[in-house]
Amino acid sequence: MTVHSLPEGLRIPTFADVRTAQSRIAGQAHRTPALTSRTADQRTGASLFFKAENLQRGGAFKFRGAYNAIAALDGDARSRGVLAFSSGNHAQAVAYAARLLGVASTIVMPTDAPAVKVAGTRGYGAKIVFYDRYEEDRLEVTRRVAAETGATIVPPFDHPDVIAGQGTAVLELIEEVGDLDIVLTPLGGGGLLAGSALAAKGLSPACRVIGVEPEAGNDGQQSMARGEIVTIPVPRSIADGALTTALGLHTFPIMREKVEAVVTVPDDDLIATVRFFAERMKIVVEPTGCLAASAVMSGHVECRGKRVGIVLSGGNVDLAALGTHLATT
Ligand SMILES: *Cc1c(COP(=O)(O)O)cnc(C)c1O
């Protein structure tokens, strides 16, 4: 385990940046619905509002941050193209947003990325470069390709425009349903959580913001407890969108200031929550996308009597793999 200290001079985004992102993505990102379920409310004793980013373009909230970051580039940078490293949803988001903006994209992906995500990314016209998640450093591979092509790297979470874009989901949610007592989001590198915290505290200062990560990889929880970014080995969890090893230099300071807690959920609970959404609410939510919902519905966070916003962060699931998990759990 290694601990990094924070460098000076970062551009940390604010609530105003989330507002700017909202106007940049207007008419491009879907305004996804806020779903409710009487069964879920009865089970938890709370009023739950699910922000259905599984229905977002590209199948996850990541379209918001990617589009905002690429739209912010000047003409010269756009002409050189964009580059991203991702286990899947960010890749699809960058490829899709780049295509809409007329920008070429290259994606660096792990060899074990879910087939559906690889196919989706190719389908949006991106060039794909593969690397071994357990052997090679993805940042090094990405930097090498960037040096070769002159493309601008769009990071999956550690970038002010990406964070601001991700914050627009919770901004929309609170604008639609009104003040919330608690907002919970899945947590990988913290782009979604940090952006959501900017939005929630900006609109509704008393709102408590909670991040939820897979039990197998609780670097976020450890980092919050130690007050420094803690790096862990690559976790092995069904939550393939949250297999990050460390929080970002831009996301962590926002989390320290605005996030109340980070909690964890085991894979079995995620699968039970995937099943709930499919059987009861007739929607496909990927295991990573269930982290925040599972924390509430499996009883890891007490929400009785509260108005609770929950981000369902994505719906890109490999159905064959999921079928195996559902059959054996
Ligand atoms: C990327 C991703 C996350 C984690 O987001 P971060 O900004 O890295 O914390 C959660 N859920 C899904 C579906 C994702 O694609």
mmCIF file of all heavy atoms in Angstrom, residues 232-261:
data_model
loop_
_atom_site.group_PDB
_atom_site.id
_atom_site.type_symbol
_atom_site.label_atom_id
_atom_site.label_comp_id
_atom_site.label_asym_id
_atom_site.label_seq_id
_atom_site.Cartn_x
_atom_site.Cartn_y
_atom_site.Cartn_z
ATOM 1 N N ILE A 232 -4.498 0.724 -3.742
ATOM 2 C CA ILE A 232 -4.630 -0.709 -3.456
ATOM 3 C C ILE A 232 -4.338 -1.509 -4.735
ATOM 4 O O ILE A 232 -4.350 -0.943 -5.834
ATOM 5 C CB ILE A 232 -6.049 -1.051 -2.948
ATOM 6 C CG1 ILE A 232 -7.096 -0.665 -4.001
ATOM 7 C CG2 ILE A 232 -6.335 -0.349 -1.617
ATOM 8 C CD1 ILE A 232 -8.489 -1.211 -3.732
ATOM 9 N N PRO A 233 -4.086 -2.826 -4.616
ATOM 10 C CA PRO A 233 -3.948 -3.652 -5.826
ATOM 11 C C PRO A 233 -5.282 -3.684 -6.579
ATOM 12 O O PRO A 233 -6.326 -3.420 -5.984
ATOM 13 C CB PRO A 233 -3.617 -5.043 -5.283
ATOM 14 C CG PRO A 233 -3.241 -4.854 -3.853
ATOM 15 C CD PRO A 233 -3.915 -3.609 -3.386
ATOM 16 N N VAL A 234 -5.268 -4.027 -7.867
ATOM 17 C CA VAL A 234 -6.514 -4.076 -8.653
ATOM 18 C C VAL A 234 -7.492 -5.037 -7.979
ATOM 19 O O VAL A 234 -7.188 -6.213 -7.784
ATOM 20 C CB VAL A 234 -6.242 -4.568 -10.089
ATOM 21 C CG1 VAL A 234 -7.552 -4.651 -10.868
ATOM 22 C CG2 VAL A 234 -5.261 -3.648 -10.806
ATOM 23 N N PRO A 235 -8.661 -4.536 -7.540
ATOM 24 C CA PRO A 235 -9.615 -5.412 -6.869
ATOM 25 C C PRO A 235 -10.290 -6.369 -7.847
ATOM 26 O O PRO A 235 -10.366 -6.083 -9.042
ATOM 27 C CB PRO A 235 -10.638 -4.447 -6.264
ATOM 28 C CG PRO A 235 -10.446 -3.147 -6.950
ATOM 29 C CD PRO A 235 -9.129 -3.154 -7.649
ATOM 30 N N ARG A 236 -10.761 -7.508 -7.342
ATOM 31 C CA ARG A 236 -11.519 -8.438 -8.181
ATOM 32 C C ARG A 236 -12.947 -8.466 -7.655
ATOM 33 O O ARG A 236 -13.209 -8.968 -6.576
ATOM 34 C CB ARG A 236 -10.882 -9.825 -8.159
ATOM 35 C CG ARG A 236 -9.516 -9.820 -8.856
ATOM 36 C CD ARG A 236 -8.886 -11.198 -8.925
ATOM 37 N NE ARG A 236 -7.498 -11.101 -9.389
ATOM 38 C CZ ARG A 236 -7.096 -11.428 -10.626
ATOM 39 N NH1 ARG A 236 -7.950 -11.876 -11.513
ATOM 40 N NH2 ARG A 236 -5.825 -11.304 -10.968
ATOM 41 N N SER A 237 -13.856 -7.895 -8.448
ATOM 42 C CA SER A 237 -15.264 -7.788 -8.044
ATOM 43 C C SER A 237 -16.103 -7.836 -9.302
ATOM 44 O O SER A 237 -15.626 -7.540 -10.408
ATOM 45 C CB SER A 237 -15.497 -6.456 -7.319
ATOM 46 O OG SER A 237 -16.863 -6.110 -7.314
ATOM 47 N N ILE A 238 -17.371 -8.229 -9.135
ATOM 48 C CA ILE A 238 -18.304 -8.214 -10.253
ATOM 49 C C ILE A 238 -18.583 -6.776 -10.715
ATOM 50 O O ILE A 238 -19.058 -6.546 -11.826
ATOM 51 C CB ILE A 238 -19.613 -8.935 -9.849
ATOM 52 C CG1 ILE A 238 -20.487 -9.162 -11.072
ATOM 53 C CG2 ILE A 238 -20.364 -8.175 -8.779
ATOM 54 C CD1 ILE A 238 -21.785 -9.882 -10.766
ATOM 55 N N ALA A 239 -18.245 -5.807 -9.869
ATOM 56 C CA ALA A 239 -18.486 -4.388 -10.192
ATOM 57 C C ALA A 239 -17.364 -3.879 -11.096
ATOM 58 O O ALA A 239 -16.496 -3.111 -10.683
ATOM 59 C CB ALA A 239 -18.582 -3.564 -8.918
ATOM 60 N N ASP A 240 -17.372 -4.292 -12.366
ATOM 61 C CA ASP A 240 -16.231 -4.039 -13.252
ATOM 62 C C ASP A 240 -16.041 -2.573 -13.600
ATOM 63 O O ASP A 240 -14.997 -2.193 -14.123
ATOM 64 C CB ASP A 240 -16.342 -4.885 -14.525
ATOM 65 C CG ASP A 240 -17.635 -4.627 -15.278
ATOM 66 O OD1 ASP A 240 -17.764 -3.535 -15.863
ATOM 67 O OD2 ASP A 240 -18.521 -5.505 -15.281
ATOM 68 N N GLY A 241 -17.034 -1.737 -13.323
ATOM 69 C CA GLY A 241 -16.883 -0.299 -13.591
ATOM 70 C C GLY A 241 -16.249 0.452 -12.437
ATOM 71 O O GLY A 241 -16.023 1.656 -12.517
ATOM 72 N N ALA A 242 -15.955 -0.272 -11.335
ATOM 73 C CA ALA A 242 -15.397 0.402 -10.156
ATOM 74 C C ALA A 242 -14.137 -0.304 -9.657
ATOM 75 O O ALA A 242 -13.866 -0.341 -8.462
ATOM 76 C CB ALA A 242 -16.449 0.466 -9.038
ATOM 77 N N LEU A 243 -13.361 -0.854 -10.590
ATOM 78 C CA LEU A 243 -12.137 -1.578 -10.216
ATOM 79 C C LEU A 243 -10.930 -0.648 -10.189
ATOM 80 O O LEU A 243 -9.842 -1.016 -10.604
ATOM 81 C CB LEU A 243 -11.890 -2.743 -11.186
ATOM 82 C CG LEU A 243 -12.994 -3.794 -11.261
ATOM 83 C CD1 LEU A 243 -12.595 -4.927 -12.204
ATOM 84 C CD2 LEU A 243 -13.301 -4.349 -9.869
ATOM 85 N N THR A 244 -11.115 0.558 -9.714
ATOM 86 C CA THR A 244 -10.022 1.529 -9.657
ATOM 87 C C THR A 244 -9.124 1.222 -8.455
ATOM 88 O O THR A 244 -9.562 0.626 -7.474
ATOM 89 C CB THR A 244 -10.576 2.951 -9.523
ATOM 90 O OG1 THR A 244 -11.637 2.921 -8.573
ATOM 91 C CG2 THR A 244 -11.121 3.440 -10.841
ATOM 92 N N THR A 245 -7.871 1.637 -8.540
ATOM 93 C CA THR A 245 -6.912 1.356 -7.463
ATOM 94 C C THR A 245 -6.658 2.582 -6.587
ATOM 95 O O THR A 245 -6.065 2.455 -5.527
ATOM 96 C CB THR A 245 -5.573 0.886 -8.047
ATOM 97 O OG1 THR A 245 -5.067 1.913 -8.904
ATOM 98 C CG2 THR A 245 -5.755 -0.389 -8.853
ATOM 99 N N ALA A 246 -7.096 3.766 -7.031
ATOM 100 C CA ALA A 246 -6.875 4.978 -6.243
ATOM 101 C C ALA A 246 -7.836 6.074 -6.699
ATOM 102 O O ALA A 246 -8.215 6.131 -7.872
ATOM 103 C CB ALA A 246 -5.439 5.473 -6.407
ATOM 104 N N LEU A 247 -8.206 6.949 -5.771
ATOM 105 C CA LEU A 247 -9.004 8.117 -6.110
ATOM 106 C C LEU A 247 -8.155 9.096 -6.910
ATOM 107 O O LEU A 247 -6.933 8.969 -6.966
ATOM 108 C CB LEU A 247 -9.505 8.795 -4.829
ATOM 109 C CG LEU A 247 -10.403 7.924 -3.941
ATOM 110 C CD1 LEU A 247 -10.661 8.635 -2.608
ATOM 111 C CD2 LEU A 247 -11.715 7.623 -4.653
ATOM 112 N N GLY A 248 -8.821 10.104 -7.510
ATOM 113 C CA GLY A 248 -8.105 11.091 -8.306
ATOM 114 C C GLY A 248 -7.629 12.276 -7.486
ATOM 115 O O GLY A 248 -8.172 12.571 -6.415
ATOM 116 N N LEU A 249 -6.613 12.968 -8.017
ATOM 117 C CA LEU A 249 -6.106 14.158 -7.330
ATOM 118 C C LEU A 249 -7.146 15.278 -7.323
ATOM 119 O O LEU A 249 -7.123 16.145 -6.451
ATOM 120 C CB LEU A 249 -4.825 14.653 -8.020
ATOM 121 C CG LEU A 249 -3.665 13.665 -8.011
ATOM 122 C CD1 LEU A 249 -2.498 14.201 -8.834
ATOM 123 C CD2 LEU A 249 -3.233 13.368 -6.582
ATOM 124 N N HIS A 250 -8.076 15.268 -8.318
ATOM 125 C CA HIS A 250 -9.139 16.268 -8.358
ATOM 126 C C HIS A 250 -10.377 15.808 -7.586
ATOM 127 O O HIS A 250 -11.135 16.628 -7.080
ATOM 128 C CB HIS A 250 -9.564 16.568 -9.803
ATOM 129 C CG HIS A 250 -8.487 17.125 -10.668
ATOM 130 N ND1 HIS A 250 -7.506 16.336 -11.241
ATOM 131 C CD2 HIS A 250 -8.231 18.400 -11.064
ATOM 132 C CE1 HIS A 250 -6.690 17.107 -11.953
ATOM 133 N NE2 HIS A 250 -7.105 18.356 -11.869
ATOM 134 N N THR A 251 -10.613 14.499 -7.564
ATOM 135 C CA THR A 251 -11.843 14.016 -6.920
ATOM 136 C C THR A 251 -11.707 13.963 -5.402
ATOM 137 O O THR A 251 -12.659 14.265 -4.681
ATOM 138 C CB THR A 251 -12.237 12.622 -7.450
ATOM 139 O OG1 THR A 251 -11.162 11.691 -7.252
ATOM 140 C CG2 THR A 251 -12.567 12.676 -8.938
ATOM 141 N N PHE A 252 -10.524 13.569 -4.925
ATOM 142 C CA PHE A 252 -10.366 13.365 -3.484
ATOM 143 C C PHE A 252 -10.585 14.638 -2.654
ATOM 144 O O PHE A 252 -11.284 14.597 -1.633
ATOM 145 C CB PHE A 252 -8.991 12.741 -3.189
ATOM 146 C CG PHE A 252 -8.759 12.454 -1.738
ATOM 147 C CD1 PHE A 252 -9.627 11.627 -1.028
ATOM 148 C CD2 PHE A 252 -7.681 13.011 -1.063
ATOM 149 C CE1 PHE A 252 -9.416 11.367 0.319
ATOM 150 C CE2 PHE A 252 -7.465 12.752 0.279
ATOM 151 C CZ PHE A 252 -8.332 11.933 0.974
ATOM 152 N N PRO A 253 -10.010 15.805 -3.071
ATOM 153 C CA PRO A 253 -10.250 17.011 -2.254
ATOM 154 C C PRO A 253 -11.736 17.365 -2.148
ATOM 155 O O PRO A 253 -12.200 17.823 -1.096
ATOM 156 C CB PRO A 253 -9.487 18.110 -3.001
ATOM 157 C CG PRO A 253 -8.506 17.401 -3.871
ATOM 158 C CD PRO A 253 -9.103 16.070 -4.200
ATOM 159 N N ILE A 254 -12.487 17.149 -3.233
ATOM 160 C CA ILE A 254 -13.927 17.434 -3.195
ATOM 161 C C ILE A 254 -14.615 16.455 -2.251
ATOM 162 O O ILE A 254 -15.472 16.830 -1.444
ATOM 163 C CB ILE A 254 -14.527 17.341 -4.616
ATOM 164 C CG1 ILE A 254 -13.884 18.374 -5.537
ATOM 165 C CG2 ILE A 254 -16.050 17.517 -4.572
ATOM 166 C CD1 ILE A 254 -14.247 18.214 -7.012
ATOM 167 N N MET A 255 -14.216 15.197 -2.333
ATOM 168 C CA MET A 255 -14.804 14.193 -1.442
ATOM 169 C C MET A 255 -14.535 14.522 0.022
ATOM 170 O O MET A 255 -15.415 14.425 0.867
ATOM 171 C CB MET A 255 -14.241 12.805 -1.774
ATOM 172 C CG MET A 255 -14.785 12.238 -3.077
ATOM 173 S SD MET A 255 -13.963 10.698 -3.543
ATOM 174 C CE MET A 255 -14.171 9.705 -2.066
ATOM 175 N N ARG A 256 -13.295 14.922 0.319
ATOM 176 C CA ARG A 256 -12.956 15.228 1.726
ATOM 177 C C ARG A 256 -13.824 16.350 2.265
ATOM 178 O O ARG A 256 -14.214 16.351 3.434
ATOM 179 C CB ARG A 256 -11.498 15.664 1.826
ATOM 180 C CG ARG A 256 -10.544 14.519 1.846
ATOM 181 C CD ARG A 256 -9.170 14.985 2.249
ATOM 182 N NE ARG A 256 -9.010 15.003 3.689
ATOM 183 C CZ ARG A 256 -7.902 15.422 4.304
ATOM 184 N NH1 ARG A 256 -6.890 15.853 3.593
ATOM 185 N NH2 ARG A 256 -7.821 15.413 5.605
ATOM 186 N N GLU A 257 -14.109 17.318 1.388
ATOM 187 C CA GLU A 257 -14.867 18.483 1.845
ATOM 188 C C GLU A 257 -16.363 18.225 1.888
ATOM 189 O O GLU A 257 -17.063 18.729 2.757
ATOM 190 C CB GLU A 257 -14.565 19.671 0.913
ATOM 191 C CG GLU A 257 -15.027 21.007 1.449
ATOM 192 C CD GLU A 257 -14.832 22.122 0.419
ATOM 193 O OE1 GLU A 257 -13.755 22.155 -0.220
ATOM 194 O OE2 GLU A 257 -15.760 22.931 0.260
ATOM 195 N N LYS A 258 -16.883 17.437 0.932
ATOM 196 C CA LYS A 258 -18.335 17.389 0.756
ATOM 197 C C LYS A 258 -18.985 16.019 0.936
ATOM 198 O O LYS A 258 -20.209 15.922 0.948
ATOM 199 C CB LYS A 258 -18.694 17.923 -0.641
ATOM 200 C CG LYS A 258 -18.260 19.374 -0.849
ATOM 201 C CD LYS A 258 -18.707 19.910 -2.205
ATOM 202 C CE LYS A 258 -18.080 21.254 -2.510
ATOM 203 N NZ LYS A 258 -18.474 22.316 -1.565
ATOM 204 N N VAL A 259 -18.194 14.969 1.032
ATOM 205 C CA VAL A 259 -18.773 13.623 1.147
ATOM 206 C C VAL A 259 -18.716 13.169 2.598
ATOM 207 O O VAL A 259 -17.678 13.258 3.251
ATOM 208 C CB VAL A 259 -18.040 12.627 0.228
ATOM 209 C CG1 VAL A 259 -18.478 11.195 0.503
ATOM 210 C CG2 VAL A 259 -18.289 12.991 -1.234
ATOM 211 N N GLU A 260 -19.863 12.710 3.093
ATOM 212 C CA GLU A 260 -19.939 12.360 4.515
ATOM 213 C C GLU A 260 -19.319 11.006 4.815
ATOM 214 O O GLU A 260 -18.675 10.824 5.847
ATOM 215 C CB GLU A 260 -21.401 12.347 4.939
ATOM 216 C CG GLU A 260 -21.568 11.872 6.360
ATOM 217 C CD GLU A 260 -22.977 12.075 6.845
ATOM 218 O OE1 GLU A 260 -23.413 13.229 6.896
ATOM 219 O OE2 GLU A 260 -23.630 11.070 7.168
ATOM 220 N N ALA A 261 -19.535 10.023 3.908
ATOM 221 C CA ALA A 261 -19.057 8.671 4.207
ATOM 222 C C ALA A 261 -18.888 7.879 2.923
ATOM 223 O O ALA A 261 -19.504 8.183 1.906
ATOM 224 C CB ALA A 261 -20.054 7.955 5.117
#
